[in-house]
Amino acid sequence: MNKGAGILLKANLKQNRVLILIWLVLLVGLFAGIALYFNDLFGTADEIAAIKEMMRSPAMVTLFGAFSDQQLSTTAGLLAAMMLIFMGIFVVILNIQLAIGSTRKQEDSGILELVRSKAVGKHAPLTAGILELVIVNGLLGGFYFLSLRVADLQDSSLAGDSLFAVLLVVIGILYGFVGLLAAQIGNDSRQSYLLSYLVFAVTYVVRMITDVTDPDYSWLSPFGWLTKAGVYQENDWRSVALLGASSLLLFVGMFVTIRSRDLGSGLLPIRSGRKTARGWLRSTLALQVRIERNGLIGWIVGSLVLGAGYGSVFNSVGDILKVNPTYEAVLGVSAVNNANRTIVLNYINILGVIFSLMAVLCGAMIIFSLKKNEEKGYLELLHVKAVSRTQLFLSHYIVAAVGALLVLGASILGMALAGEQALAYSLDIGYYWQTFGVNCLVVLSFLGLAAFLVGILPRGTMLFWGYLAIGFAGRYFSPLLNLSDDWQKLSPLGWTDKVPVGSLSLHWLVAMIALSIVLTSLGIFGYNQRDV
């Protein structure tokens, strides 16, 4: 049943070598860069104390997880608290992409049908996908471990460094297996991605809410298991055992489900379509809306739920000053309430970055589907008709832009609705509109870059993901690592200033509008000029 798995593994590694190399460089470079810098940044008791209170605030707990006072009292423990959840998110995304890309996407493209016509076992593609995940995560884990040993963090230990690296390996494999199981259940790669990211989103939201309300319930989420390991303190390997056992269950589930389906099909029911298309489907724009409809619905609903999850902790975020009677005695009740409001608004500013990132991911994937459809030959059916390249390009861009803005709006709406229920007072609705308006420009700036790459440099789309990851990391970690504001300004994610606490600077407003228009226009021009 697994005959030929080794050959397929080599083919997968060769096919994905550029993707894997870029992810390795980005993830290891980011991790090692921060780890090597950490002793200088938080090497004294005063420096640790300065960041410790911030890390214990509900706002930071929702982002990084709940950790014990003992762990937040050491340099090595602080690194674990800041990096476990953060790195785990990117590792999960990498593994889902690899898992489905090496299995279900190849089924959809017809490649596996050719492969299976030869002397290749039925389970060989799935086995090759599993081995690929193990190899890639093993490499990542090895580099993480070496980075920690070279960094030689204060209060670190061999056991702690080992546990840190292994946790990131097994969390990656776990969600990679989620992707492989979804590839068996979904009817195509789109459904498989949707199912995988739905599991990812739900488990992350569960971790976020339980960490703030009652950390004892964080055991309900695999991301909560990362925080329960007590890296550099108790070094509790039970989290690794739980992640490993869950991966084993998914492993069994994959091979059970693969026996119950035919090549190119899934286990979910397929609804029969209409015999004739509706009249409104006669345009390329309507066709693209129909193709992306289900995926967009999933993104919008998921964003609404995630936004509501973040908004549900507004009360905890806003009341941080009230836990210390000294603040209330010195500032007075009215001043404390004003300070609480400012803290919530700063929290909304941080959430705007996360929501913008989600919207960009949604929109960019739709724009890049133009390149993928071109490579697969799907567009030949449209090119034989009276359809201009500009129409084709704009149909993808318009759906991507509108879909991304709907995702952004849904997340902010969910945050606003849940936040207003959680707070004892009401925030002016204008704060939410300001957050939406500013981050719309951020999203459109990134989508302009995506459009530019598809039109001018179609082979350079990986540059987009690298730039997005670097920009997000710079915006996310600069305040915590006391880096200069220049690091935050690496991408449009850092150009929003402190909206809604303050107003957007005019030069950043002009820059984002100009980038959106110019880059998109260049993309359209380039797509009309280059060979398809």
Side-chain angles (χ1 to χ4, degrees), residues 27-239:
L27 293 181
V28 175
L30 174 64
F31 185 83
I34 293 177
L36 292 169
Y37 180 60
F38 229 69
N39 273 335
D40 294 332
L41 190 62
F42 301 115
T44 67
D46 290 340
E47 290 167 339
I48 292 172
I51 194 66
K52 180 178 177 180
E53 290 303 315
M54 181 184 296
M55 290 297 295
R56 291 174 60 190
S57 70
M60 292 298 103
V61 169
T62 60
L63 299 177
F64 295 103
F67 293 88
S68 65
D69 285 345
Q70 293 82 1
Q71 187 157 5
L72 296 176
S73 299
T74 64
T75 301
L78 273 175
L79 178 73
M82 289 185 186
M83 297 297 287
L84 267 173
I85 298 293
F86 178 80
M87 294 301 299
I89 291 172
F90 285 102
V91 168
V92 166
I93 293 173
L94 166 62
N95 278 273
I96 290 176
Q97 293 295 123
L98 278 179
I100 298 176
S102 298
T103 53
R104 198 51 196 259
K105 280 187 71 174
Q106 293 188 3
E107 283 190 39
D108 292 350
S109 65
I111 293 176
L112 278 187
E113 187 175 1
L114 296 174
V115 170
R116 289 271 294 276
S117 66
K118 304 297 181 181
V120 173
K122 181 178 181 179
H123 295 167
L126 179 57
T127 302
I130 292 171
L131 293 174
E132 182 181 21
L133 292 178
V134 172
I135 291 172
V136 172
N137 283 283
L139 282 173
L140 278 172
F143 283 123
Y144 291 148
F145 177 74
L146 289 175
S147 300
L148 290 170
R149 297 310 294 168
V150 171
D152 192 23
L153 297 171
Q154 293 184 28
D155 307 300
S156 66
S157 62
L158 178 61
D161 290 344
S162 302
L163 179 57
F164 199 144
V166 171
L167 281 170
L168 291 177
V169 170
V170 289
I171 192 75
I173 291 176
L174 173 64
Y175 282 90
F177 284 8
V178 168
L180 290 176
L181 181 59
Q184 314 309 316
I185 297 174
N187 291 308
D188 52 34
S189 59
R190 288 177 183 271
Q191 281 191 357
S192 302
Y193 279 122
L194 184 61
L195 288 171
S196 302
Y197 283 111
L198 179 62
V199 173
F200 173 33
V202 169
T203 52
Y204 183 82
V205 170
V206 169
R207 191 282 311 165
M208 179 190 71
I209 294 176
T210 53
D211 272 349
V212 174
T213 56
D214 190 346
D216 290 339
Y217 287 100
S218 295
W219 287 105
L220 296 173
S221 168
F223 277 97
W225 302 344
L226 296 181
T227 65
K228 298 299 184 183
V231 180
Y232 298 118
Q233 294 299 316
E234 300 88 358
N235 290 324
D236 190 346
W237 286 78
R238 287 183 300 171
S239 294

Side-chain angles (χ1 to χ4, degrees), residues 19 33 47 62-63 65 72 88 99 111 120 123 135 146 232 243 285 291 332 385-386 395 405 419 440 444 488 520:
L19 173 68
E47 290 167 339
T62 60
L63 299 177
L72 296 176
I111 293 176
V120 173
H123 295 167
I135 291 172
L146 289 175
Y232 298 118
L243 291 166
L285 178 60
I291 291 172
K385 305 292 183 178
S395 66
L405 296 183
C440 278
L444 292 176
Q488 296 191 50
T520 303

Side-chain angles (χ1 to χ4, degrees), residues 434 436-442 444-445 489 492 494-497 499 503-517:
Q434 289 173 35
F436 175 73
V438 168
N439 286 286
C440 278
L441 297 177
V442 174
L444 292 176
S445 298
K489 307 301 183 185
W495 298 353
T496 58
D497 294 327
V499 175
S503 58
L504 180 67
S505 299
L506 180 61
H507 62 281
W508 290 125
L509 174 66
V510 173
M512 286 189 282
I513 293 175
L515 276 175
S516 303
I517 296 173

Side-chain angles (χ1 to χ4, degrees), residues 23 63 162 167-169 192 248 333 354 387 400 446 448 452 482 522:
W23 274 97
L63 299 177
S162 302
L167 281 170
L168 291 177
V169 170
S192 302
L248 183 59
V333 174
I354 297 174
V387 176
F446 273 106
F452 173 82
N482 294 327
L522 289 174

Side-chain angles (χ1 to χ4, degrees), residues 233-263:
Q233 294 299 316
E234 300 88 358
N235 290 324
D236 190 346
W237 286 78
R238 287 183 300 171
S239 294
V240 174
L242 281 171
L243 291 166
S246 300
S247 300
L248 183 59
L249 289 175
L250 292 171
F251 177 86
V252 174
M254 286 178 243
F255 284 97
V256 170
T257 53
I258 198 174
R259 296 175 184 174
S260 305
R261 72 178 188 91
D262 295 324
L263 186 68

